[in-house]
Amino acid sequence: MMDFLSTANSELIFRIFIAAMLGGLIGLEREYRAKEAGFRTHFLVGLGAAVFMILSKYGYDDVVREELVRLDPSRIAAQVVSGIGFIGAGCIIFQRHVVRGLTTAAGLWVTSAIGLACGSGFYLLPTAATLMVVACLEGVNFFHHRFGAKSIALTISAATRDGIRDVLSTLQKEHVEVLSYEMKTDRSAPDASYTAVLQLRVKRNHYQARIMSFMTDFDGITIDNIE
């Protein structure tokens, strides 16, 4: 019991605690933005990376002393760098010709580096890195929200082709960029109907307003899906 409470063990516990907290701080930002990996994932990645680093550095001290062998202290920690790629890959989604989740995957990769640094006994470096990551994510999000553009996948249905054309004409007048356009005709019912799948780009600061106008501006148009 006294050995567990020794200064050395307390230091190691403090290292993994700091790693988990710093990783969790990045995770809170991702959680707030409703991203694929949030607080728990980043918390666990930071904690696990720190434990692997400690194990890699100190886990075989008894073997080194008793057997007079030489070991590479980076052998386990090096696998964290490549192993985190499997978790990051699970966050990346390819949908409607758009890749999503790359930033979250990169955040997990940085979180593992922060955990490794904490496990090595560094505190100032991973703390500064964490603050820089959060500042980058929030700062870029602020500028994107004010000045950037948002892609919208819009699926609409109409009884006539003219209804679809009216939507496209209105979008062009309002300077909404149409990235792609596909129209299908359903002739299975007594009256043919037309479905159009549009990939649009609108200003982010007008995003919510455009969603509402899509729902109310056009008579005879059914909004099937908005993403």
Side-chain angles (χ1 to χ4, degrees):
M1 182 66 178
M2 293 300 295
D3 181 66
F4 177 78
L5 297 177
S6 66
T7 302
N9 281 311
S10 297
E11 166 69 15
L12 298 182
I13 293 172
F14 182 70
R15 291 184 188 184
I16 64 174
F17 173 78
I18 293 298
M21 290 298 101
L22 294 178
L25 181 60
I26 298 174
L28 283 176
E29 192 281 336
R30 297 283 83 190
E31 191 92 32
Y32 175 72
R33 299 296 173 190
K35 299 302 180 179
E36 292 76 10
F39 173 80
R40 290 177 295 181
T41 304
H42 286 79
F43 181 96
L44 293 174
V45 167
L47 175 64
V51 171
F52 277 124
M53 187 70 244
I54 291 171
L55 180 62
S56 187
K57 288 186 68 174
Y58 309 114
Y60 303 100
D61 283 352
D62 55 340
V63 176
V64 173
R65 287 195 301 268
E66 295 176 7
E67 303 296 335
L68 299 178
V69 297
R70 298 168 78 76
L71 297 175
D72 179 8
S74 68
R75 63 201 176 281
I76 296 178
Q79 305 308 310
V80 175
V81 179
S82 57
I84 197 66
F86 290 97
I87 300 178
C91 299
I92 300 174
I93 302 171
F94 183 76
Q95 184 180 33
R96 295 184 182 274
H97 307 290
V98 178
V99 178
R100 305 180 187 275
L102 278 177
T103 301
T104 300
L108 288 171
W109 180 65
V110 175
T111 300
S112 68
I114 290 170
L116 291 175
C118 291
S120 297
F122 296 98
Y123 301 115
L124 181 59
L125 177 66
T127 300
T130 301
L131 295 177
M132 291 173 68
V133 169
V134 174
C136 172
L137 294 173
E138 284 299 298
V140 171
N141 183 77
F142 172 79
F143 282 104
H144 275 186
H145 181 73
R146 289 184 62 88
F147 308 109
K150 173 72 175 180
S151 294
I152 302 176
L154 176 66
T155 304
I156 58 176
S157 298
T160 64
R161 289 179 179 270
D162 290 337
I164 302 294
R165 294 192 184 99
D166 289 342
V167 173
L168 293 174
S169 176
T170 303
L171 292 176
Q172 291 175 351
K173 291 178 181 177
E174 297 188 7
H175 306 289
V176 176
E177 183 180 0
V178 180
L179 301 178
S180 65
Y181 163 70
E182 180 183 2
M183 187 165 65
K184 301 177 181 178
T185 304
D186 182 7
R187 301 185 184 280
S188 58
D191 296 326
S193 63
Y194 301 89
T195 300
V197 180
L198 309 174
Q199 190 73 28
L200 311 175
R201 187 184 299 276
V202 300
K203 293 292 185 181
R204 284 181 177 266
N205 53 353
H206 298 307
Y207 175 57
Q208 295 296 335
R210 292 309 305 144
I211 289 289
M212 297 305 298
S213 66
F214 284 144
M215 302 293 289
T216 59
D217 284 356
F218 307 106
D219 294 330
I221 300 295
T222 302
I223 309 298
D224 297 326
N225 186 45
I226 297 179
E227 294 180 4

